Every structure is written in C-alpha cells, then in structure tokens.
Amino acid sequence: MAMTMEIREDDWMVCCGSSDFAKLMVKASPFNSLEAAIESARDIWFNQVNVAAWLEAFAAHPQIGKSPSPSSNSDFARRSVTEQSTAFATTSASALEELTEWNAVYRERFGFIFIICASGRTHAEMLAELKGRYANRPIVELEIAAKEQMKITELRMAKLFSEKAKGVSQTESTKSQDRLRIIGGHLNVAEAPKRSRPPITTHVLDVSRGAPAVGVEVHLEVWNGTTNSPSFGHGGRGDWSMVGTSATDKDGRSGPLMDLVEALKPGTYRISFNTGKYCPGGFFPYVTIAFEVTESQKWEHFHVPLLLSPFSFTTYRGS
C-alpha cells in the first residue's frame, strides 16, 4: 500500500517561495510518492503559474554569497544556507566582493537576483555561470532562472519527503527511501512517466516588448513522406500532415497541439507560427521550426518555444 503524508502550504513554501505554487501543490495533494509530487510540481511551475509567481520565488532567496535577512522564512533561509555551504566554506573576502559586484550588475540588468542550484557547487563555478549568463537576453535568462529554481525545488522536496517519512512506521520509511533513489540527476526517471500534458508544447515570447505574445496562430505537423525524414531543400507538398492547431494565450502558451499520449510517435515534426499576422511589417511572414524525435526519445517531453522580435527570432528545446 502506498504511503501518503500531509504536507501543508507552509511546507511547500519552504520548497519554493511562490505562494501560488504552494497553494496549487496543496490543491493537487495528496501524493503517494515523491515522484508523483515532482511530476505535479513541474506541471504547476512551468504550465500553471505565471511570471509573477516565478519572480516571487526568486525574491525569496538570499543573494548568492549573502546571509538571509532576519525577516526571511526561517526554514527557507536555513535551506539556502545549507545549499551554499560548500561554495563559501573557504571563500576569500576578495572573492566574495567580486561575486557581490557581479550580483549587483546582474540584478540591474535583469531585475531579479541570480538564481542557481548551488548545492555542491563551488564559488568559482557559480561566478563563472553568473558571468556567462549575464550576456543572455532578459527573456532567455528568465527561463533559465525558472529552470534553476525548479532544480532547487526538487531537491528540497526530496528532503521534505525524507523528513516527513521519519514520522511513519519503519515499513513506510523503507518505502520512502526507495522513492529517494529517483533524485539522482535531478530526478530523471528511467521508466516512462505519466504525462500531464501533450508531449509537444510551445510558447511565444515577444522579446521586443519583453512580454508574452498573445494570439499567435500555431500549427503542428508531422512528416509522412516516402522518405524517413525530409532532406534539406525538399520542397514537395503533401508530405506533411497536420497534427493540430491552436493560438497562444495571455501567457504566450499555445493550447494543446496534439492528444495527450504517453508514447510520442518517432519522426520529424515541425511547428509553424503565423508571425506575419501577429507582427505586420516584421521581417518574417511566418516561422517554421523542424525537429526530430527518435525512438529512444518517445517518452520525453518536447517544449519548443519561439523568442520573437520584428527582425530576429531564436528557439531552443526547453522543458
């Protein structure tokens, strides 16, 4: 029989400093395993809460290299100090001063503190990461910071479940230890996960405005030509089949582009965005992004965002 445990909103706030995140985790409870809780947490963090919730969570952290303020959530602050202990156990005063200076210019550029999963990382590693990320566009850096926050949240959830398990029977405690095995590599599980969203998703961010792009028409297609995949310069028509269409909402996220299936059919897919309608007079009448899903990747999630301005765009594979 699976173990369930009571986890309150205050407990979730220790894992992640977003009140919206904590409320939604309580609403999604109870969880009969750490794995199930992590799956819900990822969906809530990346698909349900908004940017304001991300910024609230970022603001709950002390600046890397500094002690938490007296008004901070004491349990949250204790976690932060523990996670940074390796990095600053033997750090010199001059090194801390350099980190403080870089933190200041980072915050001035992006409007929030530098977020990184500090557990087990050295001061030099984090400073190098800070310097490298400083060159990012603000909207790109926001997404990176959100992913780092999720790593922190997952590690804290693992500790929370471990601590809660101490209050149950020895049998149940043994089961909880089995659950903790999944936290290696930030909880990448070998078995096929239960999906909470379609395997291919996207969102559009208007870099020129620093805001989500609302109302962009999106099409998802799959290759079904006579060859296994399209070649460069292939112009044949009728070789792509429509999978689904949608439009971006107020958060820039598209609605479902395909059914909620566990195993994604391997093949070549492409997402097209009607950028000409969204941005009349821009350089791109439309943008199409093609990508391949292999047999070994059919259980994975493919989030393919578009970061758009009138005269440029970028993309990447996100989570």
Side-chain angles (χ1 to χ4, degrees), residues 83-137:
E83 289 158 359
Q84 296 184 31
S85 60
T86 299
F88 301 107
T90 58
T91 304
S92 66
S94 60
L96 282 175
E97 183 178 355
E98 183 182 13
L99 184 60
T100 298
E101 292 172 352
W102 271 96
N103 269 312
V105 296
Y106 176 97
R107 187 164 193 164
E108 182 178 357
R109 172 170 169 76
F110 297 112
F112 51 85
I113 69 166
F114 177 64
I115 300 295
I116 188 170
C117 185
S119 184
R121 305 190 72 165
T122 67
H123 158 268
E125 288 172 343
M126 289 193 288
L127 181 58
E129 184 78 8
L130 193 163
K131 291 179 178 179
R133 284 167 52 183
Y134 181 77
N136 289 334
R137 293 182 176 183

Side-chain angles (χ1 to χ4, degrees), residues 1-15:
M1 180 178 177
M3 176 184 66
T4 60
M5 57 183 69
E6 180 184 0
I7 301 180
R8 302 167 300 172
E9 186 175 326
D10 288 348
D11 295 323
W12 293 121
M13 285 290 291
V14 173
C15 297

Side-chain angles (χ1 to χ4, degrees), residues 33-247:
S33 69
L34 173 60
E35 179 185 356
I38 289 291
E39 185 70 19
S40 288
R42 288 175 174 171
D43 180 56
I44 288 169
W45 184 245
F46 291 115
N47 296 310
Q48 298 185 40
V49 301
N50 57 24
V51 171
W54 288 2
L55 295 176
E56 182 188 10
F58 299 168
H61 291 277
Q63 180 176 290
I64 291 290
K66 284 194 173 183
S67 300
S69 65
S71 62
S72 300
N73 177 324
S74 59
D75 291 333
F76 190 99
R78 177 171 54 84
R79 298 285 193 199
S80 296
V81 170
T82 300
E83 289 158 359
Q84 296 184 31
S85 60
T86 299
F88 301 107
T90 58
T91 304
S92 66
S94 60
L96 282 175
E97 183 178 355
E98 183 182 13
L99 184 60
T100 298
E101 292 172 352
W102 271 96
N103 269 312
V105 296
Y106 176 97
R107 187 164 193 164
E108 182 178 357
R109 172 170 169 76
F110 297 112
F112 51 85
I113 69 166
F114 177 64
I115 300 295
I116 188 170
C117 185
S119 184
R121 305 190 72 165
T122 67
H123 158 268
E125 288 172 343
M126 289 193 288
L127 181 58
E129 184 78 8
L130 193 163
K131 291 179 178 179
R133 284 167 52 183
Y134 181 77
N136 289 334
R137 293 182 176 183
I139 203 71
V140 174
E141 182 58 22
L142 178 65
E143 292 246 341
I144 293 173
K147 291 175 183 177
E148 289 296 313
Q149 173 61 57
M150 192 66 238
K151 293 178 185 178
I152 296 167
T153 300
E154 291 177 14
L155 291 177
R156 292 186 180 188
M157 286 174 65
K159 291 178 182 179
L160 174 64
F161 269 62
S162 179
E163 290 169 358
K164 292 286 184 180
K166 292 178 182 178
V168 299
S169 67
Q170 182 62 43
T171 300
E172 293 299 327
S173 293
T174 300
K175 292 179 181 178
S176 73
Q177 294 302 314
D178 292 337
R179 296 185 187 102
L180 294 180
R181 294 173 186 170
I182 67 172
I183 67 174
H186 298 298
L187 302 135
N188 290 324
V189 293
E191 62 271 17
K194 294 293 183 182
R195 295 191 191 273
S196 59
R197 52 183 169 162
I200 297 177
T201 56
T202 186
H203 73 267
V204 185
L205 294 169
D206 187 331
V207 178
S208 65
R209 295 172 52 243
V214 181
V216 180
E217 183 182 358
V218 185
H219 291 183
L220 174 65
E221 299 167 280
V222 64
W223 173 260
N224 67 353
T226 55
T227 58
N228 289 335
S229 62
S231 59
F232 178 73
H234 188 284
R237 297 183 178 181
D239 293 328
W240 292 92
S241 295
M242 184 67 68
V243 178
T245 65
S246 184

Side-chain angles (χ1 to χ4, degrees), residues 241-255:
S241 295
M242 184 67 68
V243 178
T245 65
S246 184
T248 56
D249 62 15
K250 62 182 178 63
D251 294 319
R253 300 183 183 278
S254 76

